[in-house]
């Protein structure tokens, strides 16, 4: 990679990340996580922590690939997809459990 192509690679990476952030699974996870907070400041902090953690994982993997010439082993994509799917099921299940408690049902119904 030449020095001139680094800004282009960074710009393409940023564009890909912005598109990735709008994927339905990210929107659903963000919504489920934000439902646990009542104040907008806490929602912002929670969303920022989630986004930074997510970004750090991509940066660390990308750095390893570029700096050390590594490539993911066979089956890596499938394993990561399985972990992400399980995480989404867990986040969704927690959101359903949180909103299905009797105290929440009474509050919603006005009782």
């Amino acid at each position: 990679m030449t020095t001139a192509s680094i800004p282009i690679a960074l710009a393409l990476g940023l564009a890909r990340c912005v598109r990735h952030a709008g994927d339905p699974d990210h929107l659903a996870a963000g919504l489920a996580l934000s439902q646990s907070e009542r104040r907008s400041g806490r929602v912002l902090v929670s969303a920022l922590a989630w986004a930074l953690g997510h970004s750090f994982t991509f940066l660390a993997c990308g750095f390893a690939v570029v700096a050390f010439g590594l490539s993911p082993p066979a089956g890596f994509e499938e394993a990561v997809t399985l972990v992400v799917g399980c995480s989404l099921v867990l986040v969704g299940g927690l959101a359903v459990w949180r909103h299905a408690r009797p105290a929440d049902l009474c509050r919603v119904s006005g009782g």
Side-chain angles (χ1 to χ4, degrees):
M1 181 180 294
T2 66
T3 306
S5 63
I6 291 175
I8 294 170
L10 289 173
L12 289 173
L14 178 63
R16 176 72 175 107
C17 288
V18 169
R19 189 208 133 320
H20 177 76
D23 285 348
D25 62 331
H26 286 79
L27 297 176
L31 180 62
L33 290 171
S34 69
Q35 294 296 315
S36 66
E37 303 294 344
R38 300 284 182 226
R39 296 186 303 165
S40 59
R42 293 195 111 177
V43 171
L44 182 61
V45 169
S46 178
L48 184 60
W50 181 63
L52 289 175
H54 197 73
S55 299
F56 178 76
T57 303
F58 276 101
L59 286 172
C61 291
F63 177 78
V65 167
V66 172
F68 304 116
L70 300 177
S71 61
F76 179 77
E77 184 177 353
E78 290 83 11
V80 170
T81 300
L82 178 64
V83 169
V84 168
C86 290
S87 299
L88 289 173
V89 169
L90 178 65
V91 168
L94 289 172
V96 168
W97 177 78
R98 187 180 305 123
H99 292 290
R101 292 182 297 190
D104 287 341
L105 294 175
C106 292
R107 188 182 69 229
V108 170
S109 66

